[in-house]
Structures are given as structure tokens and as C-alpha cells.
Amino acid sequence: SVRQDFRLRDGLSVSLLAGLSLLDFDGLVFRGLPISLEYGSGSMRGVTVGAEVRARLAKSGDFEIKGVGRVASSFGLGRTWPLEGFAVPGETTGRVNWTEASVGPEVSYLFFGKFVPSLEVFVRGLWVDFKMDQTLDELTGSETKRVKADIAIGVSLNGEVAVSERLTLTVRGGILPYPGGVDALGSAGFRYRF
């Protein structure tokens, strides 16, 4: 992804992002099509756009508390597979769209100067539509698997390291527990200040 940060005033910033998303849904079964299928073809791609707002809520000594809100949406790039082994031609086309929104506080420790660690706790909502369209000669069908407002509470450890006056390395790692398991999240990147 590529991200552009705008500092509106001290303690308030807005960020816009765009990029490519990859989602893997192996094992998802579609039974409402002319020929039932189990998805196992790897990642589905999409174009992602999003925004983030960070606002300082309080600062005391070496600690700073910010409110962080994020929203991102991915618009799926269709992927088509031929149906093989039938006397007539056929194909299946899949597309995934999703939206994710999160909000929560982030506490930063400013003591180290060029290195700023932080802890973020957030509530995340996720909406997903995975649509399959299928054609087998004159038979056609469509089925959508949908996730509506899947809510999760997550926590992440973040860090920023000033490499130079204009270049900063940012890293983030966290978890999103859910009944029966834990999802992980991670990112790393460089931020250049103009």
C-alpha cells in the first residue's frame, strides 16, 4: 500500500491510503450453484482504499494518548476458472469485496526520543461479500457468502524509529482473538516527510 499523511495541526492528522489486498478463503463451500464447489484456489485480489484519523486526547510527561479511527474497503478483482470434465463449456467467476473499520486509543511512550513505542487497543468491525457466479451451458447460478459486522477486540504493539530527519521506520504487530483461535496482524513500512 501507499499512504499519504496530512498533519492538520499539532496532535491531529489524517491519512489516505491505496493498495492491493490479498485474501485467502480455502475451504469455503458454495452449494447454491449449478455445480457445487469448494474454494481452494489461493488468494483473491482487490484494490484497497482507506483513511485514518489520529487525534491527541491527552499528554502527560512522557506519555501521550491518541484516539485512532480507521476505515478501509477493498473492491475485488474478478477471477475466472473453467469448469472441466463436462460435456458442455462452463466457468465460475469469483469476486470479494470487504470493508473494515476500527476505533480505539493508542498510548505512546515518548521517553526514548528517536524510538517511540506504543500500545493500541481497538474494536474492529468487518463486512465481507464473496460472490460466485457460475455458467454451465444454459445453467446459471450465483451465490454470495456474507459476513455482516463481525466485531472483534484487538491489541497491537507499534513502534516508530527515526532513521533520519525525514525518514521514519514504522512497525506494527498485534492479535485479534476470536472464539476458537487468534488472528494475527502485522505491517512494516517507511514514512518520508516532505
Side-chain angles (χ1 to χ4, degrees), residues 125-156:
L126 178 66
W127 297 262
V128 181
D129 286 341
F130 189 164
K131 184 179 182 185
M132 283 287 191
D133 295 308
Q134 193 176 80
T135 302
L136 184 61
D137 196 26
E138 295 181 359
L139 297 174
T140 61
S142 181
E143 184 178 354
T144 301
K145 296 291 187 181
R146 184 166 284 139
V147 174
K148 293 183 178 180
D150 177 35
I151 303 297
I153 296 175
V155 62
S156 69

Side-chain angles (χ1 to χ4, degrees), residues 23 25 70-75 96-103 123-130 144-152:
L23 294 173
F25 292 93
R70 294 184 189 90
V71 63
S73 292
S74 178
F75 306 96
V96 178
N97 295 321
W98 60 262
T99 298
E100 181 181 55
S102 66
V103 65
V123 176
R124 185 224 58 193
L126 178 66
W127 297 262
V128 181
D129 286 341
F130 189 164
T144 301
K145 296 291 187 181
R146 184 166 284 139
V147 174
K148 293 183 178 180
D150 177 35
I151 303 297

Side-chain angles (χ1 to χ4, degrees), residues 8-188:
L8 303 180
R9 60 181 171 82
D10 187 37
L12 178 63
S13 65
V14 174
S15 304
L16 303 176
L17 67 92
L20 178 69
S21 66
L22 300 170
L23 294 173
D24 196 339
F25 292 93
D26 283 351
L28 192 60
V29 177
F30 293 85
R31 290 192 173 87
L33 301 173
I35 304 298
S36 294
L37 62 89
E38 178 178 344
Y39 183 78
S41 295
S43 297
M44 295 288 287
R45 293 176 297 178
V47 175
T48 305
V49 294
E52 177 184 274
V53 176
R54 290 176 172 272
R56 181 186 300 138
L57 303 176
K59 186 174 180 181
S60 176
D62 292 324
F63 290 93
E64 180 179 64
I65 301 174
K66 290 183 178 179
V68 181
R70 294 184 189 90
V71 63
S73 292
S74 178
F75 306 96
L77 303 174
R79 188 170 172 193
T80 301
W81 304 269
L83 292 175
E84 299 174 347
F86 296 95
V88 293
E91 67 179 18
T92 301
T93 301
R95 182 183 313 273
V96 178
N97 295 321
W98 60 262
T99 298
E100 181 181 55
S102 66
V103 65
E106 179 184 46
V107 179
S108 300
Y109 187 52
L110 309 175
F111 176 78
F112 301 111
K114 291 188 175 186
F115 171 60
V116 179
S118 62
L119 174 69
E120 182 181 351
V121 179
F122 56 92
V123 176
R124 185 224 58 193
L126 178 66
W127 297 262
V128 181
D129 286 341
F130 189 164
K131 184 179 182 185
M132 283 287 191
D133 295 308
Q134 193 176 80
T135 302
L136 184 61
D137 196 26
E138 295 181 359
L139 297 174
T140 61
S142 181
E143 184 178 354
T144 301
K145 296 291 187 181
R146 184 166 284 139
V147 174
K148 293 183 178 180
D150 177 35
I151 303 297
I153 296 175
V155 62
S156 69
L157 291 173
N158 313 319
E160 292 187 358
V161 179
V163 178
S164 70
E165 185 178 319
R166 294 188 178 272
L167 188 65
T168 302
L169 170 65
T170 63
V171 294
R172 182 178 188 214
I175 58 170
L176 285 143
Y178 63 88
V182 175
D183 279 338
L185 62 92
S187 66

